[in-house]
Amino acid sequence: MNEVTPSRFHILALSGGGFRGLYTAKILADFEDEIGAPIATRFDLIAGTSSGGIIALALALEVPASRIVALLTEYGEEIFRRRWSLAGIWRAPLSSRRLVELLSSSEIFGNRLLAACTHRVIIPSINYSTGRPQIFKTPHHVNFKRDYKFRIVDIAMATSAAPAYFPRYTFNNNQYVDGGLYANAPGLLAVHDAQSSLLQRTSEIYVMAIGTMSSKFTVNPGRNREGGTYDWGGVNPANMPKRLFGLSISVQEALSDFMLAHLLPGRYVLVDDDLTDQRSRAVGLDKADRAAREVLLGAASERSKICIGSREFEPFLKHIATPKTFFYGENANTPLCRVANIGTRVQATAPSR
C-alpha cells in the first residue's frame, strides 16, 4: 500500500543528454503506468538539467511522461535536424525553433508560468550574460520571489541550450547556456536545496537519479597528443567543442554519482545503463533516428522492469510526498504571504535576502 512517510524526503534527479532523454522519459512513463498516478506524487523535490530539465518541468506540471515519450519519438528527428552552418563555424548546427514550438503547445507547457507547477522543481542553467550559474526554482521558499513569473518554455530552453549543438537562448534580456556544463546530474544541487531551503536533515533525504545512457568519453591512445584542434576534434574543427562538452557532462555525472553514494549511504539509487560498443554507435546527444529510438526505448523498458520488481526501488514508488508549500503565484498556500494574483506585488512577513 502507498503511504506517507514523513521521515523520508524523496528527490528525483534527472540528467541531461539531448535525445537520450527519451530513455529517461520512457522509464518514468513505465513507473507512472505501474503506480497509476503522476510520478511527481512520489517525490518531494524534482531536479532536472537540459533534456532532464524539460522532463522535470513536465512532471512538476503533472504532464504524463508518456506524452514526452510521444513527443520525442514523433518529432525527435525534426528537433535534431541539421541546418546549414558552415560545419558549425558560422552558427550552431541545430536550430531551437522547432523545440520551442513543440514545448509551447497546450499539451506540454503552453504559455504557463513556473508558478503553475504543483510540485517543487529546480532547474540549473548558466547565465552567460553574467557568467554565473543560475538555478530556476519554484516559489517553495519565502525568498524565491522572481523565477515563478518566468514562462516554463523559457526556462526549459535556457537549461537545454547545449553549446556546439544549439544556439544560446535569450529571454529576460539575458543569454543562457545549458546547465549541463556544471550540473548535468543535478542530484547534489537538489540535496543542497533540500537542506538549506527546506531544512531537511541529511539522514532523511533519499535520492533517485535517472541517467541517459551517457557514453564515457575516453582517449584513443593512438591519436595525436599535442592538445590541438586535431587532437580533440579530428579533421573537423567543429567536433572539438562537442567532444569537450561530452567529456564535461560525462565526468560531472560520474563525480555526482560518487559523491551522492558517499553522502547518502543506502539512500541513493542510480537508474542507468552502460552502452555497449555496438549500441554506442547508434546513440548520441543529437541522434534521433530509428536506430537511436530502438536502443533507447528498448533499454529503458528493460531497466524499468528491473526497477519495478526490485525491493530497493519499492519504497520510492510507494511513498506519497507530503503537501507542498508555495509562497507566491497561483498555487500560493501559506499565510505568510498575501497574494492577489500573478504579477501583483507580494508582501511577505519574512525579510528578503
Side-chain angles (χ1 to χ4, degrees):
M1 294 180 62
N2 302 327
E3 58 181 10
V4 177
T5 49
S7 60
R8 294 175 65 107
F9 184 92
H10 282 197
I11 292 173
L12 177 63
L14 308 178
S15 296
F19 187 72
R20 294 194 306 254
L22 177 61
Y23 171 85
T24 309
K26 173 57 176 171
I27 287 176
L28 291 166
D30 289 350
F31 286 170
E32 291 188 332
D33 182 65
E34 173 65 19
I35 65 177
I39 192 66
T41 61
R42 299 322 194 238
F43 291 91
D44 301 281
L45 176 64
I46 303 173
T49 305
S50 195
S51 57
I54 294 174
I55 297 170
L57 288 164
L59 298 182
L61 280 172
E62 295 194 357
V63 173
S66 59
R67 198 171 295 172
I68 303 301
V69 172
L71 182 147
L72 291 173
T73 301
E74 184 173 354
Y75 299 106
E77 292 187 81
E78 294 182 22
I79 296 170
F80 292 92
R81 179 174 294 154
R82 292 185 174 275
R83 62 180 178 175
W84 180 85
S85 63
L86 193 61
I89 297 173
W90 178 250
R91 61 180 181 177
L94 304 175
S95 169
S96 58
R97 181 176 303 172
R98 186 59 175 142
L99 181 57
V100 172
E101 291 174 352
L102 291 167
L103 295 182
S104 298
S105 72
S106 58
E107 293 186 347
I108 307 297
F109 299 142
N111 205 37
R112 287 179 286 185
L113 308 181
L114 189 61
C117 291
T118 54
H119 300 274
R120 303 185 192 103
V121 66
I122 66 172
I123 306 293
S125 182
I126 294 176
N127 187 324
Y128 194 35
S129 296
T130 64
R132 297 177 63 86
Q134 181 156 344
I135 305 175
F136 299 99
K137 301 180 180 183
T138 46
H140 53 264
H141 187 278
V142 71
N143 290 342
F144 300 164
K145 297 183 177 182
R146 300 292 299 175
D147 294 348
Y148 77 92
K149 300 179 181 180
F150 295 142
R151 291 196 315 155
I152 297 176
V153 169
D154 291 329
I155 296 173
M157 296 305 300
T159 189
S160 58
Y165 292 94
F166 289 100
R168 297 188 293 275
Y169 189 76
T170 301
F171 83 97
N172 196 38
N173 297 307
N174 286 278
Q175 298 183 39
Y176 294 91
V177 180
D178 197 311
L181 282 169
Y182 73 97
N184 200 60
L188 285 170
L189 292 180
V191 170
H192 177 265
D193 192 67
Q195 294 170 325
S196 62
S197 301
L198 301 169
L199 305 180
Q200 296 297 313
R201 290 181 290 187
T202 304
S203 61
E204 297 176 348
I205 296 175
Y206 293 72
V207 176
M208 177 191 289
I210 304 181
T212 58
M213 299 185 71
S214 300
S215 301
K216 301 297 184 292
F217 279 74
T218 57
V219 68
N220 180 346
R223 291 185 68 93
N224 172 299
R225 306 183 182 203
E226 297 302 319
T229 301
Y230 178 71
D231 178 10
W232 283 103
V235 294
N236 184 356
N239 288 334
M240 178 176 175
K242 291 182 180 180
R243 187 162 186 84
L244 288 174
F245 179 66
L247 177 63
S248 171
I249 64 175
S250 174
V251 172
Q252 195 278 329
E253 284 193 71
L255 176 62
S256 177
D257 179 54
F258 178 85
M259 294 182 69
L260 283 170
H262 280 73
L263 179 65
L264 306 173
R267 302 190 304 280
Y268 165 69
V269 295
L270 172 64
V271 182
D272 207 355
D273 278 278
D274 292 326
L275 284 168
T276 62
D277 290 342
Q278 294 299 319
R279 291 199 301 182
S280 65
R281 297 172 186 172
V283 175
L285 188 149
D286 58 346
K287 291 182 178 180
D289 58 13
R290 182 188 61 80
R293 295 193 297 271
E294 180 179 310
V295 169
L296 294 167
L297 291 172
S301 294
E302 288 301 306
R303 181 55 52 188
S304 65
K305 181 175 68 175
I306 293 171
C307 292
I308 290 170
S310 169
R311 287 190 175 185
E312 184 181 21
F313 288 86
E314 187 176 1
F316 282 99
L317 300 182
K318 286 190 173 183
H319 171 75
I320 299 296
T322 56
K324 312 298 189 298
T325 296
F326 294 111
F327 289 87
Y328 313 107
E330 62 189 81
N331 291 316
N333 56 4
T334 170
L336 289 178
C337 298
R338 292 184 287 117
V339 183
N341 51 53
I342 294 177
T344 61
R345 184 166 178 247
V346 177
Q347 296 179 333
T349 60
S352 173
R353 283 190 293 197

